[in-house]
Amino acid sequence: MGRAAVSEAIMAQALAQSLTAFLITDAREADFPIVYANDAFLDLTGYNRKEIYGRNCRFLQGDDRDQPGRETVQRALSRHEPYRVIFRNYRKDGTLFLNELAIAPLRDEKGIVTHFVGSQNKVPYENLALLRDEALALLEQLTAREREVLAMMVDGQGNKSVARSLHISPRTAEKHRQRVLRKMGVGSVATLTQYAIAAEHGAMLSAA
Ligand SMILES: Cc1cc2nc3c(=O)[nH]c(=O)nc-3n(C[C@H](O)[C@H](O)[C@H](O)COP(=O)(O)O)c2cc1C
């Protein structure tokens, strides 16, 4: 069977009509302004295009800027890595929603990153609570040393940096890292980060 051809026009329509919110920011301009948002994004946030084009997406955080994912997003953007994170965001009418954001770099034909795509998914509060409970149950299986390693991993530190802080060899750090991932039942540090962020948001939301 041959591959069915999909024209670029159909691709563009698919994205525009998708019920998943998404937008594109310009990576060549300072501070990555929004240059496109689909209707689903407008429906999710309550803004119209005029109000958001040209702005950085952080306006969705309002004054609630003390958020766990900010630094790691900045790092992923500067390294041109895809990334997933949950933010507390606010609609135009001021109501709060949990936004699971996924970002990825887009490259031109020369391989240069010219844009980023971001898609936004509203996370139900119950899911966050589940994720948090799951994370806490798994954390209990870790030794004190493994928890220290976990905290550093979530913070984006590599084996060398972990080894230096804990005065152990990079090989031992790698062993700890493997054991933490195995005990937490996850394949990657990205999923661990999701757990940690869920726990942190959960704590903030239940304190509110
Ligand atoms: C493509 C793209 C989409 C983004 N979407 C959102 C979003 O929906 N909500 C949000 O709070 N931040 C979003 N951000 C992240 C912010 O723009 C910003 O990078 C983040 O707040 C960290 O930087 P800051 O500490 O300078 O604000 C997005 C970033 C990019 C590149």
Side-chain angles (χ1 to χ4, degrees):
M1 275 240 285
R3 205 186 319 157
V6 177
S7 69
E8 278 179 28
I10 288 293
M11 279 292 201
Q13 276 185 65
L15 291 171
Q17 300 300 322
S18 166
L19 297 182
T20 299
F22 94 98
L23 53 74
I24 296 173
T25 65
D26 194 331
R28 297 161 303 185
E29 298 259 351
D31 212 25
F32 302 163
I34 297 172
V35 292
Y36 176 80
N38 71 350
D39 285 351
F41 180 86
L42 306 180
D43 290 344
L44 174 69
T45 61
Y47 288 96
N48 63 46
R49 293 199 169 84
K50 247 207 194 125
E51 292 166 320
I52 62 170
Y53 280 15
R55 298 174 77 182
N56 181 285
C57 297
R58 74 173 69 82
F59 73 86
L60 288 168
Q61 298 158 25
D63 295 331
D64 188 3
R65 294 276 289 152
D66 189 11
Q67 303 222 18
R70 264 179 59 202
E71 269 177 41
T72 42
V73 164
Q74 288 169 12
R75 191 161 52 214
L77 288 173
S78 66
R79 292 181 183 170
H80 296 158
E81 288 168 352
Y83 194 66
R84 211 152 54 110
V85 66
I86 299 175
F87 276 119
R88 293 185 301 277
N89 277 175
Y90 298 83
R91 299 183 184 84
K92 190 180 175 187
D93 67 8
T95 53
L96 170 69
F97 67 102
L98 291 171
N99 180 0
E100 183 175 37
L101 170 68
I103 54 170
L106 303 176
R107 294 170 192 277
D108 67 10
E109 57 287 338
K110 291 189 193 116
I112 293 171
V113 173
T114 58
H115 298 81
F116 284 94
V117 60
S119 63
Q120 288 82 7
N121 269 293
K122 191 176 129 214
V123 183
Y125 291 113
E126 308 80 69
N127 290 13
L128 189 73
L130 279 178
L131 199 60
R132 184 187 173 209
D133 292 348
E134 211 172 283
L136 292 178
L138 289 166
L139 269 178
E140 283 181 8
Q141 305 173 38
L142 301 185
T143 62
R145 176 44 54 102
E146 286 162 359
R147 279 182 214 197
E148 281 180 295
V149 174
L150 171 80
M152 292 183 211
M153 286 163 71
V154 166
D155 198 36
Q157 297 186 37
N159 287 337
K160 271 192 201 149
S161 163
V162 170
R164 224 176 301 124
S165 309
L166 297 179
H167 307 292
I168 56 180
S169 71
R171 251 190 87 210
T172 310
E174 173 59 21
K175 274 190 195 153
H176 283 310
R177 169 191 289 269
Q178 292 302 337
R179 201 159 332 111
V180 166
L181 289 176
R182 185 154 31 82
K183 282 193 184 175
M184 295 295 286
V186 300
S188 73
V189 178
T191 312
L192 272 187
T193 308
Q194 288 300 99
Y195 274 142
I197 286 174
E200 201 166 321
H201 280 302
M204 291 184 95
L205 293 171
S206 55

